[in-house]
Amino acid sequence: KLPGLLLFEGQPEFAKATEYSLAELTKGKTVVIFAVPGAFTPGCSKSHLPSFIAGFDALTAAGVELVICTATNDPYVMEAWGREAGVKPGTILMLSDKSAALCRALGVASEADPMVRSDRYALIAKDGVVTAWLPAAMPDGEKKSENTYCPAVLAAL
């Protein structure tokens, strides 16, 4: 089950960030959440987020009602990154896990200075219950980022 914690959405023009309860946000919905190690980083900006921008319509056609991108960057960085990357309003919700509560709860926090980062993953949840877990980190230690991209999520639906 997804933890009941708060995530934050940055607003244009530096207005106060909007708080979202993950439990309330996902209640009664089919949701895809994908996490990236950091906004504006090469792999996240060139491949991971663009895969979901390009695949958003296919996800909704497959019954996904909400798509969330998270990173441990602050809400304003997430908002700017989404805007810069071309995320259209009303599509992917760019949410900050600024205290790393979500990635810690899911066991995918990389504790490092100067900030905690999330390992790369995607998940599918129905009514707050995780039905598919797609990590980049394989049991043998190899990392396969493509396992967390939109095509892999679509295949898991």
Side-chain angles (χ1 to χ4, degrees), residues 6-95:
L6 296 177
L7 297 174
F8 302 85
E9 181 183 30
Q11 300 300 310
E13 304 301 320
F14 307 105
K16 184 178 180 193
T18 302
E19 266 184 18
Y20 289 99
S21 159
L22 185 60
E24 288 301 312
L25 197 58
T26 60
K27 187 177 181 178
K29 295 180 183 143
T30 299
V31 178
V32 169
I33 300 173
F34 67 99
V36 298
F40 290 106
T41 57
C44 305
S45 296
K46 289 182 183 178
S47 303
H48 204 173
L49 178 57
S51 79
F52 283 91
I53 293 170
F56 182 80
D57 289 340
L59 288 169
T60 57
V64 173
E65 298 162 270
L66 180 63
V67 179
I68 299 170
C69 174
T70 68
T72 56
N73 298 97
D74 72 55
Y76 304 101
V77 170
M78 291 298 289
E79 185 277 329
W81 183 43
R83 186 171 17 92
E84 178 73 21
V87 174
K88 294 178 184 161
T91 60
I92 300 166
L93 197 53
M94 304 293 290
L95 298 182

Side-chain angles (χ1 to χ4, degrees), residues 114-126:
M115 66 186 277
V116 178
R117 294 198 183 264
S118 177
D119 291 341
R120 193 181 302 277
Y121 69 85
L123 66 81
I124 301 165
K126 294 184 181 184

